[in-house]
Amino acid sequence: MAQNEKSKNSNQKLEDLERFKEYGSGEFLTTNQGLKVNDNQNSLKAGERGATLLEDFILREKITHFDHERIPERIVHARGSAAHGYFQVYESLGKYTKAKFLNDPALKTPVFVRFSTVAGSRGSSDLARDVRGFSVKFYTQEGNYDLVGNNMPVFFIQDAIKFPDLIHAVKPEPHNEIPQAASAHDTFWDFISLMPESTHMIMWAMSDRAIPRSLRMMEGFGVHTFRFVNEQGEGSFVKFHWKPLLGVHSVAWDEATKISGKDPDFHRRDLWEAIDTGAFPEWELGIQIVKEEDEHKFDFDLLDPTKIIPEELVPIQLVGKLTLDRNPDNFFAETEQVAFHPGHLVPGIDFTNDPLLQGRLFSYTDTQLSRLGSPNFHEIPINRSLPTVHNNQRDGHMRQQVNKGRVSYEPNSLGDNHPMQAKAAEGGFTSYAERIDAKKVRARSNSFFDHFSQATLFFNSQSEPEKNHIVDAFSFELGKVEIPEIRKRMVGILTLVDKDLAAKVADNLGIEVPEPPAQLNHSVPADGNPEEFQPFTKEQKPDASTALSMLNTKKDSIKTRKIAILAANGVDEKSLNDMKNALTAEGAVPMIIAPKLGKIKGIKGNETKVDMSFLTTASVLFDAVFVPGGAQSAATLADDADAIHFINEAYRHCKVIGAEADGIDVLKASYLGKNFPVTPLEMDVQAAEGVVLIFRDGEGSNRESEFIKAVAQHRFWDRELKSKVPA
Ligand code: HDE
């Protein structure tokens, strides 16, 4: 009990980890056996120039340890970054669940959250077009609860038995291990075009959700329908959502490919820096609750992981907040060794029969056995639960716990039958007593066979720029496919989602719009008859769902946005500093970019430190650009190809661009000069389509606020509809 009480405090996991930490500072260097080392520079030799002696146990220990530093990377989700934080529920959810951490608003439950891409290796780029993992480990007083979700609410397949096929298809092709972290290749689209159940998910994967601006600006989803169980033993279905307080934002595809070269650690760095500077990322936990008796009231099956419950049908209740406030101390010890498992449950939360979820329950322990090398992976500090583990599981590789006494079995009389089972009232876990009365079959329910309605719903819900991005993404990915039959088959599938989408993709691929496949593959057994399967009847269905478009996300703050201030010698320091201070006051991160590193001198002779030069950074690493006044600075920049490229590229990616007084001349020298969205009138400030011009280098109070207002919009995607900037 005393143990449990301690976890009222979100620092408890931190305290728990503390005893495993090693700081090294002020200490002597030792061997793994604690022996102080006298010479860490030279191996033991027979004479100064002589052969190295096998006897050198210090050298051998060091090299041996080094040789074994690597462990197998995760089969999927290999590339990740993580952070510590806490979760707090707003009000008791006792009505739905008895999970203690969801019942007490005073409780700050420690969490460790790992984000990841799926297909790429550990060293691949953060900006691959891919699903993002969003795994949360709650260290609750009742044991660890893991919510192992993604940033997309549905999945590619309906049954776990297809998972190895899906992953084999998306991973680099086996003969040449190409391409890395990319789905744009034959085997992936071969598989997808033969798996109509993947259509809804593929719409998400081809949308901008697959190229987030930041891990802090993406949603998370539990994907499966889970079950809450309350103190009375009543169950209800629940879908989990994470809603980022900073809104949901993405980058442009052209930008993503460039970021992959300029900074492959873009997302990892962004998360780290935000936490490091105290801009703690936050998400609200959302739940959609469906009563047990309403299980069959929808035109889709709640157990089908390729379906969402549109928010129009079941609204999301925001019930708590997740805050990430501490970076890991050691990547390997924490981010790499953390082991998530959808089967790590606490009383009050349970599974449904979603056949994808059921299969996952096997996979995660199994994979940790080979990845972490022992059934004792739960003893690795980051994986330890707050309650102490007491059971009769014993021994194995790298066992840490020293179990005392003679008893390692139950029932026993020699140890008073301890450790003993706990009654439900004492916190013992009991599975939800769901009635199952069925034949043992390998089959899929007919209610899983509408593969297109929600794909269409998703497409219909997108804004015009978002739809265009989806067309571009399909055209890019299928354009990389070499086998014409695969392209054709996939476009044929798209005709079942949206005719216009299929026609545009076909046009980009230079093919006629194909007929849809005569016979859809409904994943039937070898001797099954596909004709027997009738799509589930459709009744209630919204035509569009506002929550599915990122255009409708929050746009009320510029917190943590990175703003490039382009300047050179002769800059007007007042113009530069006023904007810099105004941006900083709003929580944004302005940085001074100049032709060279070092310092620049302003018109009044003041020096300003340069944060980066055009050589060490690029527009794709920023959210907006501002060019302050100062005739000499403006002339230098207008003449600098890198500065002009910076502005052109930012304009191409629909970012906010601002300039003050002489700084406007730099914009005029860029692509913007030809296509100025605003006809310059000699007013104080003019803003249109994310271009903010401050004409008067005076004191006007709205000088900065117009720029800030525009940056809060994130991007002005409509610009793309007019013209594509050659940058
Ligand atoms: Fe996973 N998945 N998965 N998955 N998954 C793994 O477990 C698997 C699925 C997800 O940050 C692996 O520890 C199967 C859906 C995340 O460490 C592995 C199936 C969803 C992570 C595994 C699925 C996910 C994983 C690899 C189909 C969204 C990263 C390493 C039945 C709800 C966890 C590991 C982390 C990781 C298997 C489907 C999310 C191999 C068999 C659906 C976020 O066990």
Side-chain angles (χ1 to χ4, degrees), residues 554-565:
K554 276 189 189 168
K555 293 173 185 166
D556 55 359
S557 128
I558 64 163
K559 258 193 188 161
T560 75
R561 298 277 166 79
K562 286 181 105 175
I563 321 287
I565 300 183

Side-chain angles (χ1 to χ4, degrees), residues 72-326:
E73 64 175 36
R74 288 166 174 83
I75 310 276
V76 283
H77 297 268
R79 180 165 180 86
S81 12
H84 292 272
Y86 59 91
F87 173 80
Q88 209 164 2
V89 74
Y90 294 146
E91 280 174 18
S92 171
L93 297 179
K95 191 159 59 149
Y96 306 121
T97 172
K98 61 182 173 186
K100 289 217 165 75
F101 80 104
L102 295 175
N103 272 245
D104 182 356
L107 204 65
K108 279 185 167 183
T109 301
V111 298
F112 189 66
V113 179
R114 183 174 181 273
F115 303 101
S116 46
T117 52
V118 179
S121 292
R122 262 190 66 180
S124 56
S125 163
D126 281 344
L127 262 288
R129 174 176 294 285
D130 201 350
V131 185
R132 299 298 184 289
F134 193 132
S135 312
V136 184
K137 189 180 282 295
F138 298 85
Y139 300 96
T140 89
Q141 53 183 300
E142 298 177 289
N144 290 346
Y145 169 58
D146 292 355
L147 183 52
V148 196
N150 279 342
N151 76 329
M152 298 180 192
V154 287
F155 203 65
F156 295 97
I157 48 170
Q158 295 173 323
D159 191 302
I161 202 165
K162 298 310 296 171
F163 191 67
D165 298 289
L166 167 74
I167 301 307
H168 287 173
V170 73
K171 282 274 182 182
E173 299 197 6
H175 58 309
N176 57 9
E177 183 83 357
I178 298 176
Q180 177 56 241
S183 52
H185 58 112
D186 289 45
T187 56
F188 181 67
W189 288 100
D190 187 25
F191 179 78
I192 294 295
S193 62
L194 292 169
M195 291 288 288
E197 70 200 58
S198 66
T199 311
H200 185 196
M201 178 64 164
I202 209 68
M203 297 300 296
W204 284 81
M206 293 302 114
S207 79
D208 294 343
R209 301 269 179 159
I211 39 173
R213 157 64 183 85
S214 160
L215 301 169
R216 306 174 291 119
M217 298 174 196
M218 60 183 205
E219 288 180 294
F221 303 91
V223 176
H224 314 280
T225 303
F226 290 89
R227 197 177 245 118
F228 269 160
V229 186
N230 66 16
E231 205 64 70
Q232 291 71 45
E234 295 157 350
S236 48
F237 295 105
V238 57
K239 287 263 193 200
F240 293 111
H241 301 249
W242 292 112
K243 300 267 185 193
L245 261 61
L246 293 175
V248 190
H249 301 286
S250 67
V251 298
W253 173 241
D254 176 69
E255 197 184 356
T257 58
K258 289 171 177 167
I259 293 173
S260 291
K262 298 280 183 188
D263 186 4
D265 303 309
F266 185 73
H267 282 153
R268 178 177 283 188
R269 190 186 310 283
D270 167 274
L271 180 68
W272 183 276
E273 285 179 352
I275 295 174
D276 213 34
T277 54
F280 301 143
E282 293 171 315
W283 287 260
E284 285 188 298
L285 177 68
I287 55 171
Q288 284 176 298
I289 299 279
V290 176
K291 291 191 201 134
E292 288 276 339
E293 59 266 33
D294 289 339
E295 178 175 2
H296 300 294
K297 105 173 193 197
F298 303 97
D299 69 335
F300 54 88
D301 197 323
L302 284 180
L303 303 185
D304 174 356
T306 68
K307 303 296 185 294
I308 58 164
I309 310 178
E311 292 182 30
E312 283 72 13
L313 300 185
V314 179
I316 293 184
Q317 310 174 42
L318 297 172
V319 296
K321 198 164 80 179
L322 167 71
T323 307
L324 298 183
D325 63 353
R326 192 163 62 81

